[in-house]
Amino acid sequence: MADKNVCPVCGSDKLFYDPRRGEIVCSVCGYVVQQNVIDEGPEWRAFDPDQRAKRARTGAPMTLMIHDKGLSTDIDWRDKDIHGNQITGMYRTKMRRLRMWQRRMRINDAAERNLAFALSELDRMAAQMRLPRRVKEVAASLYRKAVMKKLIRGRSIEGMVSAALYAACRMEGIPRTLDEIAAVSKVTKKEIGRSYRFLARGLNLNLRPTSPIEYVDRFGDALNVSARTKKRAKEILKEAIKRGITSGKGPTGLAAAALYVASLLEGEKKTQREVAEVAHVTEVTVRNRYKELVEKLGINVPI
C-alpha cells in the first residue's frame, strides 16, 4: 500500500495542502498525490480572537464547576438582539423575565440547589487563593462524589467544600495548609480538619503525607530569595528525608527551617520571624527544626 506521506513519483516527503483545490501536492515535482480532500474545518474565516468567538457555533466545554456541568442553555445578560442592536421598551422587560425564569429552571431540586451554592463557594475560595483550574475541577469532582454518597447530610456545606479544596490541593501537588484554607473559608480550621478526615474516610482517599519540599518554592517566592537558595533548601530537605529526620514533623515548619538555613548559607540572611510569618508557624517551631537540621546533618552555618 502506497504511503500518502511520500510522493510516489520522486519519493519526496515535502508535500503541501492546497485548500483552494482540495489537493495534496508534491512541492518537488508537482505531482498531485491526493485530490478531492474534504476540508473538515469551518467554512468561515476569522482574523482576530473576537471574530473567531462570534462565529464559532459551539459553546464552552463541559465543566464540573457548574452544577449542571455547563450543558444547559443561558440567556445573555446584554439586552441586544441577534444583530447587536439594543432592545428597548416592553421587549427588554420580557427578556428580563425570561432570564429570571431561566435561572430558576436550571435548579430543579434541593440537591441541585446545594450543589450550585457549594460550587460557587468553591470558585470564590479558589479565586482568592489563586489556584489553577485543574485544582478547582478536582475539588468539584470530590464534592460531587460526596453528594452522591450522601456524605453531606448533617454537615455544613462550607466545611465540606473547604475539605474538598484542601484534598484537591494535596492531590495536585500544590498543597495548602489548613490555616490558608481557613483564611478564605467561612468555617474554622478545626471544622475543616474534621470535615477532611470524614471526607477522606467516606471516599477512601489514601493521600500520601505532604512533603516539605513542595512548600519550598512558594515560601521562597514570598521571602524573595534566589533560585540558588531554594535549590539549597531542597537539597537540605532531601538529605533530611533520606536520614529519617523529617518523620513526625510538620512539613511547613521543616520547609521554613530549611529555607532559613539555606538563606544563611547563601548569604541572603532572613530572620526567623520573617520565615515563620510566611510559613504560618511560630518562631519556636522554626528554631527547633533549625537546630535539628543543623545538628543531625552536620551543617556549619556562618554566624
Side-chain angles (χ1 to χ4, degrees):
M1 186 175 179
D3 187 355
K4 293 183 179 179
N5 296 321
V6 177
C7 176
V9 176
C10 67
S12 172
D13 60 352
K14 295 179 180 179
L15 310 180
F16 71 92
Y17 172 64
D18 184 353
R20 294 184 62 186
R21 297 178 178 274
E23 297 174 344
I24 296 176
V25 184
C26 175
S27 61
V28 176
C29 66
Y31 181 79
V32 178
V33 178
Q34 192 176 355
Q35 58 184 352
N36 298 326
V37 178
I38 298 173
D39 184 1
E40 297 180 354
E43 79 283 1
W44 44 262
R45 292 188 299 169
F47 301 97
D48 57 64
D50 290 337
Q51 196 176 65
R52 184 176 296 278
K54 288 178 181 177
R55 293 184 178 181
R57 297 195 181 91
T58 56
M62 188 175 71
T63 174
L64 296 175
M65 284 300 298
I66 303 176
H67 72 282
D68 56 9
K69 298 184 180 180
L71 298 176
S72 63
T73 56
D74 199 7
I75 299 175
D76 193 11
W77 58 271
R78 291 168 293 192
D79 293 320
K80 292 184 179 181
D81 61 16
I82 192 172
H83 302 293
N85 301 321
Q86 199 73 26
I87 297 175
T88 57
M90 60 179 290
Y91 291 105
R92 179 182 291 183
T93 305
K94 186 176 180 180
M95 289 303 297
R96 286 178 180 172
R97 286 182 63 82
L98 287 171
R99 211 175 282 126
M100 177 189 69
W101 281 108
Q102 172 71 0
R103 284 197 300 269
R104 292 180 179 178
M105 290 174 66
R106 288 179 68 178
I107 300 175
N108 298 318
D109 52 26
E112 285 196 4
R113 195 176 299 111
N114 175 310
L115 201 57
F117 174 75
L119 294 177
S120 65
E121 187 70 7
L122 173 61
D123 192 43
R124 178 191 67 78
M125 292 171 60
Q128 282 187 258
M129 297 178 70
R130 298 180 180 178
L131 295 172
R133 184 178 182 83
R134 72 176 192 275
V135 174
K136 294 193 287 184
E137 291 284 344
V138 171
S141 175
L142 290 175
Y143 189 85
R144 285 175 180 274
K145 289 177 182 177
V147 171
M148 289 175 63
K149 290 197 172 187
K150 300 181 180 179
L151 301 177
I152 309 299
R153 286 185 179 179
R155 297 187 173 271
S156 70
I157 295 175
E158 292 88 350
M160 294 300 286
V161 166
S162 301
L165 189 60
Y166 175 71
C169 287
R170 290 183 60 177
M171 291 169 70
E172 290 300 308
I174 46 174
R176 295 294 184 269
T177 63
L178 287 174
D179 288 311
E180 290 176 296
I181 300 288
V184 297
S185 179
K186 296 177 182 177
V187 292
T188 63
K189 173 184 173 182
K190 186 176 180 181
E191 174 66 21
I192 297 170
R194 191 186 300 120
S195 298
Y196 168 70
R197 288 190 293 272
F198 180 75
L199 184 72
R201 284 196 305 269
L203 298 181
N204 296 319
L205 300 178
N206 297 315
L207 300 179
R208 63 177 179 81
T210 306
S211 172
I213 297 173
E214 295 175 341
Y215 291 98
V216 170
D217 285 329
R218 188 157 57 89
F219 291 171
D221 290 340
L223 288 167
N224 197 28
V225 297
S226 65
R228 187 176 65 254
T229 299
K230 288 186 284 187
K231 183 182 178 182
R232 188 71 172 269
K234 289 179 182 178
E235 290 172 353
I236 292 170
L237 287 171
K238 285 177 182 176
E239 186 62 26
I241 292 170
K242 185 178 178 181
R243 297 194 186 186
I245 301 171
T246 61
S247 180
K249 309 292 192 308
T252 53
L254 284 164
L259 276 167
Y260 177 66
V261 174
S263 68
L264 296 176
L265 295 173
E266 296 296 334
E268 296 183 75
K269 187 175 181 180
K270 300 292 179 182
T271 65
Q272 291 181 359
R273 177 177 292 181
E274 288 176 315
V275 177
E277 286 177 355
V278 165
H280 299 285
V281 295
T282 63
E283 289 182 57
V284 176
T285 300
V286 175
R287 195 174 303 118
N288 290 339
R289 298 294 88 82
Y290 159 73
K291 288 179 181 177
E292 289 173 2
L293 291 174
V294 170
E295 290 174 5
K296 294 184 179 180
L297 295 181
I299 300 173
N300 296 317
V301 181
I303 300 174

